[in-house]
Each structure stands twice: as structure tokens, then as C-alpha cells.
Amino acid sequence: PTTAVLDNFNRANGPIGGSWIDPVHGLTSLTINNNALVQVCCIYSSPVWNGAVFGPNQEAYIRLTAVTANAPEHDLMLKLQGTGDTSAHIEVRFDKTLTHVAVGTYDPAVGWESPAPPIPVDFVAGDQLGARAKADGIVEVYKNGILIGTVGCSAWGYATQGGRIGLTLDQTYSSRLDDFGGGNVVVYVPPSITSTSPLPNAQVGVAYSQTLTATGGTTPYTWTVSAGSLPAGLTLNSSSGAITGTPTTYGPNNFTIQLTDAVSGVATKAFALTVNPAPLVITSTSPRPNAQVGVAYADTIKATGGVTPYAWAVTVGALPTGLTLNAGTGEITGTPTAYGTSNFTIQLTDSLST
């Protein structure tokens, strides 16, 4: 159990007292005897802890310091919708005569239902019987803090509700009960990476930042790349899940991210991230260096971005007579044969045709 003891029964011999109520059967059949709870008569006792109403994820437990050999019920009640056992509730029933624990649900409008076969198990003096009823309808049964079985009760009409907790005792006259406890529990939800794929595109030469997100688990998280690799120039922050840096190479990238939480819960997810080339830009300016009739000329038009190899072409106007443009290098060379001003447009196309 993760919750506190609500009643250790360490008080003077006599009536049970405390925060216990039983409007159906009364409390006269129960007594405190040498710091333990004892049933002294009357077949059924269903004491309810009225100190609090707990939420939809709750637990209850009791230690059996002595166990009546032929008692059919040493039970825990959970999610009581009222203050007595005639209201809707879940019962986790240890039957010493059959050496098993059965989980049942009760609804005044439906009656008793048993959603699963009993769990074969025996409890002896000193053992602790515990149970958790969760908001998803799952009931977990524990012996000495160890899970021994689960039962699905989602069909019960009150599965998502909270409620009180308590006990049901049937002919447990030789039993001694101690350290009743319970309350709200935090249900562990495995971690899940919530970021979607593909991630936003990146661009060569431009700073990139994208933080992966997750839910569930127990923080702090640890993020790693478990398969594939991030684009060149990017790194993953293992604490924050941030992918940052400046990409140096264009192209598609596929990789798997693994998230590990503080209790070793693991989640993985495949991602795609495309890095686009830098924009294709002619960086040379106009006008170009002057040429002279009869003198050899050489001038290279420069560019950045895109994806090489480049293809250069004159699309409007014409170069001076005697000069030519190298389509692969962007170099203008030759010997001019006529003077004057020439106006022309250079077009650059990269290997992606951008």
C-alpha cells in the first residue's frame, strides 16, 4: 500500500469507536481487544470508515493477525456509494473455507455480480489483505503488498466513481484485525510520446528548434535516439527533449526516439524530419566588371544554396559579342569584338530544378 494506516486500533478495550459506522448491522458486534479489532457475534458486520470519501483511484487494506479457520468472509469494501453495505460497492472477499479471494460488485438495482473467477490464495496470521479499485474499472488484489490478481469491473455502473472504504466480516470470531488503511492512490500511467511525425521541416544553414512532448510516466524523463540518426548539425537534449542546431546537409531523415521515465517506463516513436536545401540565390551583383575589345575576359557568376551541380543560362538579352557563358561553372569568358553596353538576364537552376 502507498496510503496511511487509518486505524491501528491501539486504544482501550471496548466499542470500536473512531470514525466507524454501520447503519445496516450496527457496531455492537465489534470490539477493541488488546489493540486489535475483533468480531464477537452476530454473523455479519460491515463497518464503514466514515472519515473521508476517496476518489476513483483508491485502495484499502487490513492485516490479519489471527484468522478464523472456517470464516467465509474477511472482506474489503471499496467505492461504497453510501454509508452501509446495502449501497453500491465493490467487495474483495477472502474465504478461508475455500482459500480464495473473490471480487464482486453490488448494485441495489442489479444485485451481486462476479466478473471473474476467484483467485486461489490463502491468508494466515500476519498476512495483509489489500485491494485497489481504479477509475478504469480494474480491481487489483494484493497479499502482503504483492499483486496476486486483477479483475475487470468496468461494466459495474459505478466503476469510475469514488466512495468510502470499509470491511465485511462473517463469523470471524477467532480473527484479530489490525492496521486498517487506505485512501487515494496515484495510478501509474506509462509514458507516451505525444509529438507527431513528421516533424516540421528544417533548412540547411538555418537554426532549428523543436521540443518533443510526452505524457504519463514519472518525471524526470530521459530522451535518446534509439535508432537511425538526427540530421547532421542537430542534437537531442536528453533532459528537455529539444532538437536543436543548424542543419548542414539536406535530405530526408528517419529516426526513432526513446523516452525513459524515472521508474524505467519506456516509450518509443518513429519520426521523419526533412531538411530542405538553402534557397538558391545568385550572389554576384550588377554591373559586372568592364571588358575591353580585343582583350581576353573572364568573370565567374557566383551563387549559394540549392543543390549542386548548377546549370547556368542566359534567358533574356545576350552577352557581348565574343563572350560565352559556361553552363556548368557560371564563368563568362572570351574576347569581346564590339564595344558598348550589354544587358542580359542569367538564370540558375540547381539539380532539384529549383
Side-chain angles (χ1 to χ4, degrees), residues 178-299:
D178 201 4
D179 292 339
F180 174 82
N184 295 317
V185 295
V186 177
V187 175
Y188 175 78
V189 178
S192 174
I193 299 173
T194 54
S195 297
T196 57
S197 180
L199 293 172
N201 289 353
Q203 183 176 299
V204 171
V206 177
Y208 183 83
S209 180
Q210 184 70 28
T211 299
L212 302 176
T213 57
T215 60
T218 302
T219 56
Y221 298 146
T222 300
W223 300 84
T224 56
V225 179
S226 60
S229 59
L230 295 180
L234 299 185
T235 59
L236 173 66
N237 186 300
S238 62
S239 298
S240 68
I243 297 173
T244 58
T246 302
T248 59
T249 306
Y250 81 95
N253 298 268
N254 297 283
F255 49 89
T256 299
I257 297 293
Q258 176 173 297
L259 166 65
T260 305
D261 74 0
V263 294
S264 299
V266 173
T268 60
K269 193 167 189 176
F271 285 94
L273 171 53
T274 297
V275 178
N276 295 323
L280 185 60
V281 177
I282 297 174
T283 57
S284 294
T285 59
S286 179
R288 304 308 301 151
N290 290 346
Q292 183 176 312
V293 172
V295 177
Y297 181 85
D299 177 35

Side-chain angles (χ1 to χ4, degrees), residues 102-113:
V103 176
T105 60
Y106 179 71
D107 183 333
V110 178
W112 282 101
E113 293 184 310

